[in-house]
Amino acid sequence: MLSIRELSKTYANGVRALDNVTLDIPRGMFGLLGPNGAGKSSLMRTLATLQEADSGTVSFEDGKGGSIDVLRDKDAVRRQLGYLPQDFGVYPKVSALDLLEHFAVLKGLVDRKQRREVVDGLLQQVNLWDARKRHLGGFSGGMRQRFGIAQALLGNPRLVIVDEPTAGLDPEERNRFLNLLAEIGENVAVILSTHIVEDVTDLCPNMAIMNKGKVLLTGKPADAIGAL
Ligand code: ADP
Ligand code: ADP
C-alpha cells in the first residue's frame, strides 16, 4: 500500500531523524514500534505530507491500479489520508459535536443533511454520542483520542496514521481505544506508531521496529519481537 525508499531527514540541529528508511507497508493494521527519539513521528509527519524529507521516495497505491508520489503530489495524498498527530490540540471550549461539524465543513461536507449523517455516525462509532454536547476541555485523554479518530475519519480516508495514540491513557481507556482502532482497521489501512510493544503485538499483523532513524526489522510481531 505504501512503499518507502531510502528516505532521509536531518534537522537543522544536525539530528538525523530518518536514516535511509526503506519500508513496505502492506494493507491492514501496521505497527511502527520504537523508543522515544527513534524517528517515528518524523516518518509519520513525512507520510502525512506535513514535513519535507531531504531525499528518498514514498509511493502510495491510489486504489485504482496506479500510485501517488507522496512527497510531490501532496493534494492527492491529503484527500485519502486521515492523520492523528501525537499531542493534537483541541479547542477546549467547543463541544465535540460543533468541532467535528466544523472540520466536516473544512473537509468539504457542505450539504447540511449529509454532514449531519456523517458527523452523527462518527460520534456514535467512537462512542462519544452521549458526550457530544460537552466541551472538549472536560474530556479525558481517552475521549480526546477517540474524538481525534472521528476527526481523522472525516472524508473517508483510505489510510489513517495514528502517532502514539495510547501514550498517557489508563489501561481501560487504552483497551477501549485499541478496540476502536481494530474495528477501523477492518475497513481502512491504519499505521499505528507506538513505543508500547503490546499495542503492536495485540493488534497488528505486520510491523516494523525503528531505532535511531533506522528500520531495524520488519515482519510479523511473533518473528520480529523474537528476533530482538
Ligand atoms: P519518535 O517519534 O520516535 O519519538 P521523532 O521523530 O520525534 O521520534 O524524533 C527523532 C529525533 O529527531 C529525536 O532525536 C528528536 O529529538 C529529533 N527531532 C524531532 N523533531 C525535530 C525538530 N523539529 N527539530 C530538531 N530535531 C527534531
Ligand atoms: P437546539 O436545541 O437549538 O436544536 P441543540 O443543543 O440541539 O440546539 O444543538 C446545538 C448545535 O448542534 C446546533 O448548532 C445544531 O445545529 C447542532 N446539532 C444538533 N443536533 C445535531 C445532530 N444530530 N447532528 C449534527 N448537528 C446537530
Side-chain angles (χ1 to χ4, degrees), residues 5 20 25 39 45-46 49 63 65 69 83 85 87 93 109 120 125 127 132 149 167 173 177 190 200 218:
R5 291 289 170 274
N20 254 306
I25 299 184
R45 285 195 297 266
T46 308
T49 75
D69 181 340
Y83 175 49
D87 304 323
K93 295 198 170 166
L109 282 160
D120 289 4
Q125 188 180 356
N127 228 320
R132 69 193 183 282
I149 284 290
E173 282 282 30
F177 185 84
V190 177
V200 171
T218 65

PDB file of all heavy atoms in Angstrom, residues 5 20 25 39 45-46 49 63 65 69 83 85 87 93 109 120 125 127 132 149 167 173 177 190 200 218:
ATOM      1  N   ARG A   5      11.241   4.400   0.128  1.00  0.00           N
ATOM      2  CA  ARG A   5      12.576   4.044  -0.352  1.00  0.00           C
ATOM      3  C   ARG A   5      13.613   5.078   0.052  1.00  0.00           C
ATOM      4  O   ARG A   5      13.508   6.243  -0.329  1.00  0.00           O
ATOM      5  CB  ARG A   5      12.578   3.916  -1.884  1.00  0.00           C
ATOM      6  CG  ARG A   5      11.794   2.722  -2.406  1.00  0.00           C
ATOM      7  CD  ARG A   5      12.515   1.395  -2.093  1.00  0.00           C
ATOM      8  NE  ARG A   5      11.696   0.222  -2.375  1.00  0.00           N
ATOM      9  CZ  ARG A   5      10.815  -0.334  -1.539  1.00  0.00           C
ATOM     10  NH1 ARG A   5      10.604   0.183  -0.347  1.00  0.00           N
ATOM     11  NH2 ARG A   5      10.145  -1.415  -1.875  1.00  0.00           N
ATOM     12  N   ASN A  20      17.990   6.723   5.781  1.00  0.00           N
ATOM     13  CA  ASN A  20      17.840   5.718   4.726  1.00  0.00           C
ATOM     14  C   ASN A  20      16.736   4.701   5.014  1.00  0.00           C
ATOM     15  O   ASN A  20      16.974   3.494   4.921  1.00  0.00           O
ATOM     16  CB  ASN A  20      19.155   4.948   4.570  1.00  0.00           C
ATOM     17  CG  ASN A  20      19.871   5.378   3.319  1.00  0.00           C
ATOM     18  OD1 ASN A  20      19.288   5.347   2.233  1.00  0.00           O
ATOM     19  ND2 ASN A  20      21.098   5.799   3.482  1.00  0.00           N
ATOM     20  N   ILE A  25       4.796  -1.008   3.477  1.00  0.00           N
ATOM     21  CA  ILE A  25       3.704  -1.113   4.437  1.00  0.00           C
ATOM     22  C   ILE A  25       2.497  -1.719   3.736  1.00  0.00           C
ATOM     23  O   ILE A  25       1.923  -1.115   2.839  1.00  0.00           O
ATOM     24  CB  ILE A  25       3.364   0.270   5.026  1.00  0.00           C
ATOM     25  CG1 ILE A  25       4.609   0.810   5.760  1.00  0.00           C
ATOM     26  CG2 ILE A  25       2.165   0.180   5.960  1.00  0.00           C
ATOM     27  CD1 ILE A  25       4.405   2.135   6.467  1.00  0.00           C
ATOM     28  N   GLY A  39      12.462   8.229  15.619  1.00  0.00           N
ATOM     29  CA  GLY A  39      12.175   8.812  14.315  1.00  0.00           C
ATOM     30  C   GLY A  39      10.762   8.528  13.827  1.00  0.00           C
ATOM     31  O   GLY A  39      10.412   8.870  12.698  1.00  0.00           O
ATOM     32  N   ARG A  45       4.981  12.226  10.085  1.00  0.00           N
ATOM     33  CA  ARG A  45       4.742  13.568   9.528  1.00  0.00           C
ATOM     34  C   ARG A  45       5.093  13.619   8.040  1.00  0.00           C
ATOM     35  O   ARG A  45       4.408  14.274   7.256  1.00  0.00           O
ATOM     36  CB  ARG A  45       5.565  14.626  10.273  1.00  0.00           C
ATOM     37  CG  ARG A  45       5.019  14.973  11.657  1.00  0.00           C
ATOM     38  CD  ARG A  45       5.655  16.261  12.183  1.00  0.00           C
ATOM     39  NE  ARG A  45       7.081  16.155  12.385  1.00  0.00           N
ATOM     40  CZ  ARG A  45       7.661  15.833  13.540  1.00  0.00           C
ATOM     41  NH1 ARG A  45       6.918  15.552  14.602  1.00  0.00           N
ATOM     42  NH2 ARG A  45       8.970  15.768  13.639  1.00  0.00           N
ATOM     43  N   THR A  46       6.147  12.900   7.676  1.00  0.00           N
ATOM     44  CA  THR A  46       6.535  12.892   6.260  1.00  0.00           C
ATOM     45  C   THR A  46       5.465  12.177   5.430  1.00  0.00           C
ATOM     46  O   THR A  46       5.063  12.668   4.374  1.00  0.00           O
ATOM     47  CB  THR A  46       7.901  12.198   6.077  1.00  0.00           C
ATOM     48  OG1 THR A  46       8.825  12.798   6.975  1.00  0.00           O
ATOM     49  CG2 THR A  46       8.410  12.357   4.654  1.00  0.00           C
ATOM     50  N   THR A  49       2.475  14.201   4.704  1.00  0.00           N
ATOM     51  CA  THR A  49       2.790  15.364   3.842  1.00  0.00           C
ATOM     52  C   THR A  49       2.936  16.658   4.625  1.00  0.00           C
ATOM     53  O   THR A  49       2.743  17.747   4.099  1.00  0.00           O
ATOM     54  CB  THR A  49       1.739  15.611   2.720  1.00  0.00           C
ATOM     55  OG1 THR A  49       0.567  16.190   3.288  1.00  0.00           O
ATOM     56  CG2 THR A  49       1.373  14.341   1.984  1.00  0.00           C
ATOM     57  N   GLY A  63      -5.439   3.049  -5.282  1.00  0.00           N
ATOM     58  CA  GLY A  63      -6.677   2.287  -5.219  1.00  0.00           C
ATOM     59  C   GLY A  63      -7.285   2.032  -6.591  1.00  0.00           C
ATOM     60  O   GLY A  63      -8.302   1.372  -6.716  1.00  0.00           O
ATOM     61  N   GLY A  65      -5.127   1.126  -9.247  1.00  0.00           N
ATOM     62  CA  GLY A  65      -4.075   0.474 -10.015  1.00  0.00           C
ATOM     63  C   GLY A  65      -2.849   1.336 -10.254  1.00  0.00           C
ATOM     64  O   GLY A  65      -1.854   0.857 -10.777  1.00  0.00           O
ATOM     65  N   ASP A  69       2.821   9.840  -5.886  1.00  0.00           N
ATOM     66  CA  ASP A  69       4.124  10.245  -5.356  1.00  0.00           C
ATOM     67  C   ASP A  69       3.862  11.140  -4.136  1.00  0.00           C
ATOM     68  O   ASP A  69       3.533  12.304  -4.265  1.00  0.00           O
ATOM     69  CB  ASP A  69       4.883  11.004  -6.450  1.00  0.00           C
ATOM     70  CG  ASP A  69       6.268  11.448  -6.006  1.00  0.00           C
ATOM     71  OD1 ASP A  69       6.521  11.517  -4.784  1.00  0.00           O
ATOM     72  OD2 ASP A  69       7.096  11.719  -6.880  1.00  0.00           O
ATOM     73  N   TYR A  83      -5.109  11.718   9.656  1.00  0.00           N
ATOM     74  CA  TYR A  83      -3.882  11.772  10.463  1.00  0.00           C
ATOM     75  C   TYR A  83      -4.237  12.219  11.871  1.00  0.00           C
ATOM     76  O   TYR A  83      -4.874  13.258  12.053  1.00  0.00           O
ATOM     77  CB  TYR A  83      -2.918  12.764   9.805  1.00  0.00           C
ATOM     78  CG  TYR A  83      -1.637  13.040  10.563  1.00  0.00           C
ATOM     79  CD1 TYR A  83      -0.835  12.005  11.055  1.00  0.00           C
ATOM     80  CD2 TYR A  83      -1.198  14.346  10.753  1.00  0.00           C
ATOM     81  CE1 TYR A  83       0.346  12.272  11.721  1.00  0.00           C
ATOM     82  CE2 TYR A  83      -0.012  14.622  11.416  1.00  0.00           C
ATOM     83  CZ  TYR A  83       0.757  13.576  11.896  1.00  0.00           C
ATOM     84  OH  TYR A  83       1.917  13.847  12.549  1.00  0.00           O
ATOM     85  N   PRO A  85      -2.162  13.278  14.919  1.00  0.00           N
ATOM     86  CA  PRO A  85      -0.811  13.534  15.415  1.00  0.00           C
ATOM     87  C   PRO A  85      -0.699  13.249  16.910  1.00  0.00           C
ATOM     88  O   PRO A  85      -1.708  13.199  17.610  1.00  0.00           O
ATOM     89  CB  PRO A  85      -0.591  15.028  15.157  1.00  0.00           C
ATOM     90  CG  PRO A  85      -1.858  15.577  14.651  1.00  0.00           C
ATOM     91  CD  PRO A  85      -2.891  14.503  14.617  1.00  0.00           C
ATOM     92  N   ASP A  87      -0.137  14.379  20.559  1.00  0.00           N
ATOM     93  CA  ASP A  87      -0.465  15.653  21.220  1.00  0.00           C
ATOM     94  C   ASP A  87      -1.233  16.603  20.316  1.00  0.00           C
ATOM     95  O   ASP A  87      -0.864  17.763  20.182  1.00  0.00           O
ATOM     96  CB  ASP A  87       0.817  16.402  21.660  1.00  0.00           C
ATOM     97  CG  ASP A  87       1.685  15.543  22.544  1.00  0.00           C
ATOM     98  OD1 ASP A  87       1.129  14.790  23.349  1.00  0.00           O
ATOM     99  OD2 ASP A  87       2.918  15.630  22.413  1.00  0.00           O
ATOM    100  N   LYS A  93     -13.137  24.949  24.668  1.00  0.00           N
ATOM    101  CA  LYS A  93     -14.477  25.465  24.988  1.00  0.00           C
ATOM    102  C   LYS A  93     -15.491  25.228  23.889  1.00  0.00           C
ATOM    103  O   LYS A  93     -16.501  25.915  23.789  1.00  0.00           O
ATOM    104  CB  LYS A  93     -14.376  26.949  25.323  1.00  0.00           C
ATOM    105  CG  LYS A  93     -13.562  27.160  26.581  1.00  0.00           C
ATOM    106  CD  LYS A  93     -13.772  28.501  27.199  1.00  0.00           C
ATOM    107  CE  LYS A  93     -13.102  28.515  28.573  1.00  0.00           C
ATOM    108  NZ  LYS A  93     -12.972  29.857  29.103  1.00  0.00           N
ATOM    109  N   LEU A 109     -17.664  18.748   3.340  1.00  0.00           N
ATOM    110  CA  LEU A 109     -19.023  18.229   3.530  1.00  0.00           C
ATOM    111  C   LEU A 109     -19.978  19.410   3.714  1.00  0.00           C
ATOM    112  O   LEU A 109     -20.353  19.765   4.832  1.00  0.00           O
ATOM    113  CB  LEU A 109     -19.064  17.319   4.762  1.00  0.00           C
ATOM    114  CG  LEU A 109     -18.504  15.924   4.557  1.00  0.00           C
ATOM    115  CD1 LEU A 109     -18.139  15.272   5.881  1.00  0.00           C
ATOM    116  CD2 LEU A 109     -19.523  15.055   3.836  1.00  0.00           C
ATOM    117  N   ASP A 120     -22.843  12.478  12.925  1.00  0.00           N
ATOM    118  CA  ASP A 120     -23.543  11.657  13.919  1.00  0.00           C
ATOM    119  C   ASP A 120     -23.013  10.231  13.900  1.00  0.00           C
ATOM    120  O   ASP A 120     -22.789   9.621  14.949  1.00  0.00           O
ATOM    121  CB  ASP A 120     -25.048  11.640  13.632  1.00  0.00           C
ATOM    122  CG  ASP A 120     -25.704  12.982  13.925  1.00  0.00           C
ATOM    123  OD1 ASP A 120     -24.973  13.918  14.276  1.00  0.00           O
ATOM    124  OD2 ASP A 120     -26.936  13.086  13.792  1.00  0.00           O
ATOM    125  N   GLN A 125     -19.778   5.950  16.298  1.00  0.00           N
ATOM    126  CA  GLN A 125     -18.731   4.944  16.095  1.00  0.00           C
ATOM    127  C   GLN A 125     -17.649   5.019  17.168  1.00  0.00           C
ATOM    128  O   GLN A 125     -17.156   4.005  17.635  1.00  0.00           O
ATOM    129  CB  GLN A 125     -18.104   5.130  14.699  1.00  0.00           C
ATOM    130  CG  GLN A 125     -17.148   4.019  14.329  1.00  0.00           C
ATOM    131  CD  GLN A 125     -16.526   4.217  12.951  1.00  0.00           C
ATOM    132  OE1 GLN A 125     -16.846   5.145  12.212  1.00  0.00           O
ATOM    133  NE2 GLN A 125     -15.616   3.325  12.605  1.00  0.00           N
ATOM    134  N   ASN A 127     -18.045   6.189  20.080  1.00  0.00           N
ATOM    135  CA  ASN A 127     -18.672   6.131  21.399  1.00  0.00           C
ATOM    136  C   ASN A 127     -18.639   7.453  22.151  1.00  0.00           C
ATOM    137  O   ASN A 127     -18.415   7.484  23.362  1.00  0.00           O
ATOM    138  CB  ASN A 127     -17.983   5.051  22.237  1.00  0.00           C
ATOM    139  CG  ASN A 127     -18.997   4.142  22.897  1.00  0.00           C
ATOM    140  OD1 ASN A 127     -20.032   4.631  23.369  1.00  0.00           O
ATOM    141  ND2 ASN A 127     -18.724   2.862  22.889  1.00  0.00           N
ATOM    142  N   ARG A 132     -21.518  14.292  23.219  1.00  0.00           N
ATOM    143  CA  ARG A 132     -21.270  15.152  22.046  1.00  0.00           C
ATOM    144  C   ARG A 132     -21.460  16.637  22.314  1.00  0.00           C
ATOM    145  O   ARG A 132     -20.868  17.466  21.642  1.00  0.00           O
ATOM    146  CB  ARG A 132     -22.137  14.718  20.860  1.00  0.00           C
ATOM    147  CG  ARG A 132     -23.635  14.983  21.044  1.00  0.00           C
ATOM    148  CD  ARG A 132     -24.439  14.245  19.993  1.00  0.00           C
ATOM    149  NE  ARG A 132     -25.868  14.512  20.083  1.00  0.00           N
ATOM    150  CZ  ARG A 132     -26.683  13.949  20.980  1.00  0.00           C
ATOM    151  NH1 ARG A 132     -26.193  13.115  21.901  1.00  0.00           N
ATOM    152  NH2 ARG A 132     -27.969  14.228  20.982  1.00  0.00           N
ATOM    153  N   ILE A 149      -9.841  10.376  16.491  1.00  0.00           N
ATOM    154  CA  ILE A 149     -10.077   9.354  15.468  1.00  0.00           C
ATOM    155  C   ILE A 149     -11.283   9.734  14.607  1.00  0.00           C
ATOM    156  O   ILE A 149     -11.255   9.607  13.379  1.00  0.00           O
ATOM    157  CB  ILE A 149     -10.288   7.967  16.121  1.00  0.00           C
ATOM    158  CG1 ILE A 149      -8.950   7.405  16.579  1.00  0.00           C
ATOM    159  CG2 ILE A 149     -10.966   7.000  15.174  1.00  0.00           C
ATOM    160  CD1 ILE A 149      -8.024   6.998  15.442  1.00  0.00           C
ATOM    161  N   ALA A 167      -0.283   6.700  24.447  1.00  0.00           N
ATOM    162  CA  ALA A 167       0.589   7.255  25.489  1.00  0.00           C
ATOM    163  C   ALA A 167      -0.263   8.066  26.461  1.00  0.00           C
ATOM    164  O   ALA A 167      -1.059   8.897  26.059  1.00  0.00           O
ATOM    165  CB  ALA A 167       1.665   8.129  24.857  1.00  0.00           C
ATOM    166  N   GLU A 173      -8.942   2.869  29.197  1.00  0.00           N
ATOM    167  CA  GLU A 173      -9.089   3.730  28.028  1.00  0.00           C
ATOM    168  C   GLU A 173      -8.219   3.227  26.876  1.00  0.00           C
ATOM    169  O   GLU A 173      -8.592   3.332  25.708  1.00  0.00           O
ATOM    170  CB  GLU A 173      -8.704   5.182  28.369  1.00  0.00           C
ATOM    171  CG  GLU A 173      -9.779   5.942  29.133  1.00  0.00           C
ATOM    172  CD  GLU A 173     -10.932   6.431  28.240  1.00  0.00           C
ATOM    173  OE1 GLU A 173     -11.225   5.772  27.221  1.00  0.00           O
ATOM    174  OE2 GLU A 173     -11.531   7.462  28.575  1.00  0.00           O
ATOM    175  N   PHE A 177      -9.570   2.211  23.302  1.00  0.00           N
ATOM    176  CA  PHE A 177      -9.045   2.863  22.101  1.00  0.00           C
ATOM    177  C   PHE A 177      -8.529   1.832  21.093  1.00  0.00           C
ATOM    178  O   PHE A 177      -8.779   1.932  19.894  1.00  0.00           O
ATOM    179  CB  PHE A 177      -7.933   3.845  22.474  1.00  0.00           C
ATOM    180  CG  PHE A 177      -7.449   4.630  21.295  1.00  0.00           C
ATOM    181  CD1 PHE A 177      -8.114   5.780  20.897  1.00  0.00           C
ATOM    182  CD2 PHE A 177      -6.363   4.208  20.549  1.00  0.00           C
ATOM    183  CE1 PHE A 177      -7.695   6.489  19.780  1.00  0.00           C
ATOM    184  CE2 PHE A 177      -5.937   4.911  19.440  1.00  0.00           C
ATOM    185  CZ  PHE A 177      -6.610   6.055  19.058  1.00  0.00           C
ATOM    186  N   VAL A 190      -4.367   1.208   8.480  1.00  0.00           N
ATOM    187  CA  VAL A 190      -4.007   2.008   9.648  1.00  0.00           C
ATOM    188  C   VAL A 190      -2.522   1.817   9.949  1.00  0.00           C
ATOM    189  O   VAL A 190      -2.045   0.682   9.998  1.00  0.00           O
ATOM    190  CB  VAL A 190      -4.823   1.589  10.897  1.00  0.00           C
ATOM    191  CG1 VAL A 190      -4.383   2.380  12.123  1.00  0.00           C
ATOM    192  CG2 VAL A 190      -6.317   1.777  10.670  1.00  0.00           C
ATOM    193  N   VAL A 200       1.315  -3.187  19.556  1.00  0.00           N
ATOM    194  CA  VAL A 200       1.584  -3.815  18.264  1.00  0.00           C
ATOM    195  C   VAL A 200       1.250  -5.303  18.293  1.00  0.00           C
ATOM    196  O   VAL A 200       0.563  -5.818  17.407  1.00  0.00           O
ATOM    197  CB  VAL A 200       3.060  -3.605  17.874  1.00  0.00           C
ATOM    198  CG1 VAL A 200       3.422  -4.422  16.656  1.00  0.00           C
ATOM    199  CG2 VAL A 200       3.320  -2.123  17.614  1.00  0.00           C
ATOM    200  N   THR A 218      11.473  -5.848   9.962  1.00  0.00           N
ATOM    201  CA  THR A 218      10.039  -5.822   9.666  1.00  0.00           C
ATOM    202  C   THR A 218       9.547  -7.262   9.632  1.00  0.00           C
ATOM    203  O   THR A 218      10.338  -8.187   9.443  1.00  0.00           O
ATOM    204  CB  THR A 218       9.744  -5.198   8.287  1.00  0.00           C
ATOM    205  OG1 THR A 218      10.307  -6.029   7.279  1.00  0.00           O
ATOM    206  CG2 THR A 218      10.315  -3.800   8.178  1.00  0.00           C
TER     207      THR A 218
END
